[in-house]
Amino acid sequence: MTAAYTLGSLLYEGKAKRVFQTDRPELVAVEFKDDATAFNALKKAQLAGKGELNCQISARLFELLEREGVPTHYLGLQGRSWQVVKPVSIVPVEVVIRNVAAGSLCKQMPIAAGTPLEPPLLDLYYKDDAYGDPLLTDARLARLGLLNADQRAELERLAFRVNAVLRAFFAAIGLQLVDFKIELGFTAAGELVVADEISPDTCRLWDLQVADASDRILDKDRFRQDLGGVVEAYGEVLKRVQGACPEPRIYG
Ligand code: TMP
Ligand code: ASP
């Protein structure tokens, strides 16, 4: 089989991925790295196999969202730790939805960890490591001028749809979707789509069959809290996701 595209220069390197141009302007290639970071990269490690696991989990979740009518940047897999995606202009806003209180919410608010949040809570953060990804207010978001009112409404609508789809999917494979972060971007055609990745790096996932508050964690909190078994936990997530999803398509 001839390659569908030729890899071009590095466009962007983030903490967990590299994004490459290709010889086709409508395609970019994303490589998932084994690097793990937390606390704005104050804590760093190499976790062999993490990139591949996140790539494989994310591909299946993007295809699930697509089947449910949620537009994403994803086009297909290319090898174990690469994806082909549409180029998008990322909105520098991290969109977090919380179904259960955990993490920063419990550090900043008098809400006990594990408290169910119904309706789910949506928090927007300004995506800029130099500022430490601060929580946005409506007024600050408007002042930054990143989104007009319709785009903001669409971003929130998509985020809640993602939550509804993923929450039900994970529950069916014995995982509680505690919270997650997504990033969205505009395609060349001006469509707002889910981009970046959806993986145990960007979701909190608790094993519904396990009662112990540490043992049940199957996400990046294992790394943040030095619980060990990070790659093994991500492997368990992939195993369950694989069991419930068709094989993802290979691009080209
Ligand atoms: P938080 O409790 O630290 O605010 O995190 C909320 C969710 O967002 C959690 O699922 C982890 C995810 N997240 C990221 O994907 N990237 C980040 O930089 C941060 C801070 C959180
Ligand atoms: N991804 C962020 C960082 O590197 C934070 C986190 O996920 O905890 O530093």
Side-chain angles (χ1 to χ4, degrees):
M1 190 184 79
T2 53
Y5 60 86
T6 306
L7 211 56
S9 54
L10 181 69
L11 279 175
Y12 169 82
E13 177 153 10
K15 294 194 285 277
K17 294 181 292 302
R18 291 189 191 93
V19 181
F20 293 85
Q21 218 160 17
T22 74
D23 60 342
R24 291 176 53 187
E26 73 280 19
L27 306 179
V28 294
V30 179
E31 180 189 17
F32 286 67
K33 303 194 291 185
D34 285 342
D35 302 61
T37 66
F39 315 117
N40 204 5
L42 282 175
K43 182 178 170 118
K44 291 185 200 171
Q46 280 276 312
L47 299 174
K50 182 187 79 94
E52 176 174 334
L53 288 164
N54 281 351
C55 178
Q56 295 295 321
I57 293 166
S58 202
R60 288 164 175 82
L61 297 179
F62 278 138
E63 291 192 15
L64 167 71
L65 290 172
E66 182 186 277
R67 287 194 296 278
E68 296 292 332
V70 178
T72 81
H73 74 158
Y74 172 87
L75 293 170
L77 276 174
Q78 190 88 106
R80 302 296 305 166
S81 55
W82 288 78
Q83 291 179 7
V84 180
V85 306
K86 294 179 193 170
V88 296
S89 157
I90 290 282
V91 178
V93 172
E94 300 199 342
V95 183
V96 170
I97 293 205
R98 304 174 190 275
N99 296 306
V100 175
S104 69
L105 180 69
C106 304
K107 294 204 177 82
Q108 295 167 359
M109 298 283 145
I111 303 177
T115 306
L117 303 168
E118 201 51 58
L121 193 67
L122 178 136
D123 283 329
L124 303 179
Y125 297 85
Y126 180 49
K127 178 181 159 64
D128 190 328
D129 286 343
Y131 292 95
D133 297 343
L135 185 62
L136 281 164
T137 61
D138 285 344
R140 288 183 186 195
L141 182 58
R143 181 68 185 76
L144 287 171
L146 299 171
L147 296 165
N148 65 33
D150 287 348
Q151 292 168 334
R152 161 95 188 264
E154 178 63 0
L155 175 131
E156 295 197 3
R157 189 188 70 81
L158 287 174
F160 282 116
R161 275 291 297 149
V162 170
N163 187 45
V165 171
L166 292 186
R167 198 178 169 177
F169 171 77
F170 281 124
I173 55 172
L175 298 173
Q176 183 168 30
L177 179 61
V178 173
D179 58 27
F180 65 91
K181 181 266 299 183
I182 53 171
E183 295 179 24
L184 298 100
F186 288 102
T187 64
E191 187 187 17
L192 190 62
V193 302
V194 180
D196 190 51
E197 69 179 282
I198 305 177
S199 73
D201 266 10
T202 62
C203 300
R204 283 195 172 91
L205 295 165
W206 292 350
D207 191 336
L208 283 163
Q209 277 90 58
V210 177
D212 182 86
S214 294
D215 293 348
R216 70 184 174 189
I217 295 172
L218 294 177
D219 58 67
K220 196 170 158 186
D221 272 350
R222 298 205 72 82
F223 174 68
R224 296 189 188 98
Q225 299 173 26
D226 289 318
L227 296 173
V230 183
V231 172
E232 291 76 4
Y234 286 33
E236 176 63 23
V237 173
L238 176 60
K239 197 175 91 187
R240 294 195 201 184
V241 169
Q242 257 172 338
C245 287
E247 272 302 292
R249 59 179 175 264
I250 307 300
Y251 188 82

